Amino acid sequence: MKILVSGGAGYIGSHTVIRLIENGYDVTVFDNLYNSKITVLDKIEKITGTRPDFRLCDMTERKSLEAIFREDKYDAVIHFAGYKAVGESIEKPLMYYDNNINGTLVILELMEKYGVKNLIFSSSATVYGLPEKCPVDETAPLFCLNPYGRTKLFIEEILRDLCAADKDFSAVLLRYFNPVGAHPSGLIAEDPNGIPNNLMPRIIQAAKGEIPELQVFGDDYDTRDGTCIRDYIHVLDLADGHVAALDYAFKNKGSIPINLGTGKGYTVLELINAFEKVNGIRVPYSIAPRREGDSKSTYADNSLAKKLLGWEAKLNVEDMCRDAWRGAVNYE
Ligand code: WQD
């Protein structure tokens, strides 16, 4: 089976490509390398023994993307490509809407034209906004606090409409909670361009001394230690969720959102403590004011993933902290 992976050189994309190859899929990656490096292909080859086909291509450039669809018959597309910085999306909403939504429309139009009827979409728990209650299940109200989140929500709606119109189409909308960690080989890791926004890359920067200290955004929330709760999930568990979702898509039509989370919540301070304990290293931090738009607590009800995909997260928060740190110190 041939799988076309958009943004497959990125953090979650590259880990998923590894798992796809290990599960016997034939993979072609296209990526514009805006937030990733071509060297990741060498590392995928080192880990799996197979180098995926690669095409340098921006999803908004229809001509170059059509050439990729012309050269092979794909059984499915896994769509990771997209800008994903919350703060940047607030400053540059049109850039986000153009790239993420128009780029996705180009992919979908070409899928229809070339008869590719299975899509796994990289959605996000961000579509739940500030959930009323946790654990959050897929029927929770959808509400987005920023343009980045709205691109995910709008693309979900586009896929719901496409599947209503084309009864042969299958779209699994995977709502990721908080991806962290890295492949245990230490060869590939999260490698954000610019200043990372997410907690784990900032913990790592503080642990490495690249920043004087981590700022903990608020310790006055109504939680067990005053800091926000999130559902951190190992990127390899997330990758396995995509392989399971492919299986499901081949056997089922229509669109369906599915949470990919561990179902467990950890506070910011608990994650810092776990990181320090597992890696035997201090993470200097100070308490800073709350960050606008943060939810107090967001963690998944993952029963639908268990039921429909036969998938559940296997790696724990210690594995996430160990692998994240190994990836950071070994990565070049
Ligand atoms: C987690 C917690 C912060 C940084 C975002 C996106 C979401 C998804 C995952 C793509 C919060 C706290 C963080 C720091 C801190 N990305 N924090 N100091 O906000 O849950 O979700 O990333 O799909 O779409 O919205 O993740 O890692 O930014 O924050 O105290 O320097 O860590 O306040 O409580 P978030 P995060």
Side-chain angles (χ1 to χ4, degrees):
M1 298 274 237
K2 281 182 186 301
I3 313 298
L4 180 61
V5 182
S6 83
Y11 170 49
I12 302 171
S14 57
H15 284 87
T16 302
V17 167
I18 287 169
R19 285 300 207 232
L20 287 169
I21 293 170
E22 289 173 343
N23 280 275
Y25 287 103
D26 191 355
V27 178
T28 297
V29 169
F30 78 86
D31 200 304
N32 66 1
L33 300 179
Y34 169 82
N35 192 24
S36 52
K37 297 187 179 79
I38 190 85
T39 47
V40 78
L41 299 174
D42 305 325
K43 297 169 182 185
I44 292 173
E45 185 175 11
K46 220 166 173 183
I47 292 166
T48 64
T50 304
R51 186 185 185 82
D53 277 348
F54 177 78
R55 302 288 178 274
L56 180 62
C57 172
D58 186 306
M59 62 179 167
T60 59
E61 282 158 26
R62 188 192 175 95
K63 261 214 174 59
S64 56
L65 186 52
E66 180 149 19
I68 297 172
F69 274 90
R70 268 222 197 89
E71 66 187 31
D72 235 324
K73 176 77 180 104
Y74 301 101
D75 298 286
V77 169
I78 302 183
H79 179 28
F80 292 103
Y83 297 151
K84 62 167 193 167
V86 170
E88 186 183 49
S89 77
I90 294 166
E91 285 157 41
K92 303 176 185 167
L94 298 185
M95 181 179 107
Y96 271 66
Y97 288 128
D98 177 46
N99 184 69
N100 291 7
I101 295 179
N102 287 336
T104 300
L105 286 174
V106 171
I107 292 174
L108 295 177
E109 286 157 2
L110 290 170
M111 286 179 74
E112 286 287 84
K113 182 173 177 181
Y114 290 89
V116 183
K117 297 286 186 179
N118 301 295
L119 178 82
I120 311 299
F121 173 56
S122 165
S123 190
S124 166
T126 204
V127 300
Y128 296 119
L130 305 173
E132 296 279 305
K133 66 178 182 58
C134 276
V136 201
D137 72 26
E138 289 83 352
T139 63
L142 304 180
F143 173 76
C144 289
L145 299 158
N146 55 71
Y148 158 74
R150 274 188 280 278
T151 66
K152 292 298 185 184
L153 182 52
F154 294 166
I155 293 168
E156 285 201 8
E157 296 300 348
I158 289 166
L159 289 168
R160 278 187 271 275
D161 287 340
L162 174 56
C163 290
D166 177 353
K167 298 300 181 199
D168 282 336
F169 207 89
S170 171
V172 182
L173 321 172
L174 295 178
R175 292 176 179 166
Y176 310 157
F177 280 69
N178 289 66
V180 294
H183 191 273
S185 66
L187 287 173
I188 58 173
E190 193 168 5
D191 177 23
N193 289 346
I195 300 176
N197 311 299
N198 293 131
L199 179 59
M200 185 58 92
R202 297 295 279 177
I203 285 177
I204 287 169
Q205 284 185 324
K208 286 170 103 173
E210 289 172 357
I211 55 174
E213 59 186 14
L214 166 76
Q215 290 194 307
V216 174
F217 296 142
D219 68 345
D220 56 351
Y221 287 93
D222 175 18
T223 63
R224 40 188 185 268
D225 63 20
T227 62
C228 297
I229 294 171
R230 291 292 183 275
D231 184 331
Y232 298 98
I233 174 169
H234 197 294
V235 66
L236 283 180
D237 277 327
L238 208 59
D240 288 338
H242 289 73
V243 177
L246 261 186
D247 239 11
Y248 177 87
F250 290 140
K251 296 177 190 131
N252 297 274
K253 298 297 171 203
S255 69
I256 184 160
I258 298 181
N259 287 341
L260 289 188
T262 64
K264 294 190 198 73
Y266 286 88
T267 70
V268 174
L269 292 180
E270 287 167 348
L271 191 71
I272 293 170
N273 294 337
F275 187 92
E276 289 183 324
K277 200 157 150 256
V278 155
N279 296 308
I281 187 162
R282 252 180 48 63
V283 176
Y285 70 85
S286 64
I287 303 300
R290 290 183 175 195
R291 180 173 68 176
E292 181 77 17
D294 269 340
S295 83
K296 170 183 91 166
S297 176
T298 302
Y299 57 92
D301 174 332
N302 57 12
S303 46
L304 196 61
K306 286 180 190 167
K307 182 166 153 247
L308 297 185
L309 306 183
W311 170 92
E312 62 180 322
K314 298 192 184 69
L315 297 165
N316 60 33
V317 74
E318 287 74 24
D319 299 315
M320 296 176 213
C321 292
R322 185 180 306 111
D323 292 343
W325 182 237
R326 185 190 299 112
V329 293
N330 293 1
Y331 190 70
E332 71 248 359

